[in-house]
Amino acid sequence: MTTGVRRRMGVEERRAQLIGVALELFSHRSPDDVSIDEIAAAAGISRPLVYHYFPGKRSLYEAALKRAADELAGRFLEAHEGPLGARLSRVMRRFFDFVEEHGPGFAALMRGGPAGGSSTADALIDGVRQSAYEQIIAHLGVPHPPARLELVVRSWVSLAESTALQWLDGKRIPRAELELQLVHDFAALAAVSAAYDQEMAGIILRVFAQEPADGPFGDLLARLTVLAPAAPAVPPQRLPQSFR
């Protein structure tokens, strides 16, 4: 016959447990709506013991936020193999996996956390955005990105974030369609920028040359071609010199 003796956790193990419990609760409800009492009950410990490891809910939230931020940044990691369109598709699938798994928590993360926000939360969010930017730049193989390329990539990261937040509000558009649309958005932003700048044109033409016809970028071209008959013709004299 055995007795139900509870194993005593070490300090770091208990902290990790509390962070995990808090992250789970924050993933389903806004941090403002989660109490220390609920966190303590979910962890199977007393309220005073929570305060023994964390001075308050904000510090626990920020620790959970860091774990979430590290995980979210990791969703942008992708092997530098194969066409860029396929890589971005896999990144968007993992990104939306995170968004769906941590809905309210993701919204709170990207909107600055609990009421009042904090410099720590803001720094973590900026870190996720910077990590995503650096990963995409690395995929493009441009060690010293020109200003227009930086603008395109940062704009796309921001677009992915805002699209996900909008999607969470009712999920009125199929998730798979949004994932593909965001990959198309990247190609469209890059192509428009390339139309204004020769250096960008060189980068984008190199990337597009490696794309298969049946890939995401090829799919975008096919969709745009359908619209072409309805588009007004551009007089040759109005085309940029490089496109005549």
Side-chain angles (χ1 to χ4, degrees):
M1 190 171 178
T2 59
T3 57
V5 178
R6 184 178 298 174
R7 184 174 65 86
R8 185 182 182 87
M9 290 187 182
V11 173
E12 291 307 314
E13 187 179 8
R14 177 65 77 185
R15 282 179 58 86
Q17 182 218 16
L18 285 170
I19 290 171
V21 166
L23 182 57
E24 177 65 20
L25 291 171
F26 295 149
S27 292
H28 296 94
R29 288 155 58 203
S30 168
D32 286 326
D33 297 332
V34 177
S35 69
I36 287 291
D37 287 332
E38 289 179 90
I39 295 170
I45 61 176
S46 66
R47 175 189 175 97
L49 194 54
V50 176
Y51 285 111
H52 175 74
Y53 292 98
F54 295 94
K57 187 170 77 169
R58 182 176 296 279
S59 64
L60 178 53
Y61 172 76
E62 289 177 351
L65 188 66
K66 184 177 188 313
R67 181 181 292 185
D70 289 345
E71 183 181 343
L72 179 56
R75 301 296 173 109
F76 285 87
L77 295 173
E78 174 68 29
H80 293 194
E81 299 173 358
L84 179 65
R87 297 185 218 172
L88 292 181
S89 294
R90 291 190 291 270
V91 166
M92 285 296 96
R93 191 176 309 120
R94 290 195 300 269
F95 173 69
F96 271 89
D97 281 345
F98 182 93
V99 171
E100 194 156 33
E101 291 163 11
H102 303 285
F106 173 81
L109 167 66
M110 290 304 172
R111 288 171 177 152
S118 75
S119 57
T120 300
D122 291 343
L124 288 169
I125 295 164
D126 287 343
V128 172
R129 293 168 178 152
Q130 180 64 22
S131 177
Y133 165 79
E134 291 173 359
Q135 286 298 320
I136 301 305
I137 289 295
H139 281 289
L140 292 168
V142 183
H144 304 291
R148 287 184 186 273
L149 181 58
E150 179 175 354
L151 179 61
V152 163
V153 176
R154 291 196 186 280
S155 296
W156 182 74
V157 170
S158 178
L159 179 61
E161 175 188 321
S162 60
T163 298
L165 287 171
Q166 287 291 326
W167 177 74
L168 282 172
D169 186 16
K171 300 182 180 179
R172 291 167 291 175
I173 299 175
R175 172 185 150 176
E177 289 183 14
L178 280 185
E179 291 174 9
L180 179 59
Q181 182 178 314
L182 280 165
V183 176
H184 288 172
D185 286 336
F186 181 87
L189 285 168
V192 169
S193 181
Y196 284 85
D197 182 81
Q198 286 292 330
E199 185 177 13
M200 274 294 295
I203 294 170
I204 299 310
L205 287 172
R206 172 177 57 79
V207 171
F208 284 6
Q210 302 171 27
E211 294 294 316
D214 60 350
F217 292 170
D219 177 67
L220 173 61
L221 183 59
R223 291 171 186 265
L224 293 176
T225 301
V226 172
L227 300 176
V234 180
Q237 64 270 24
R238 294 188 60 187
L239 288 171
Q241 189 68 37
S242 57
F243 289 89
R244 295 179 192 173

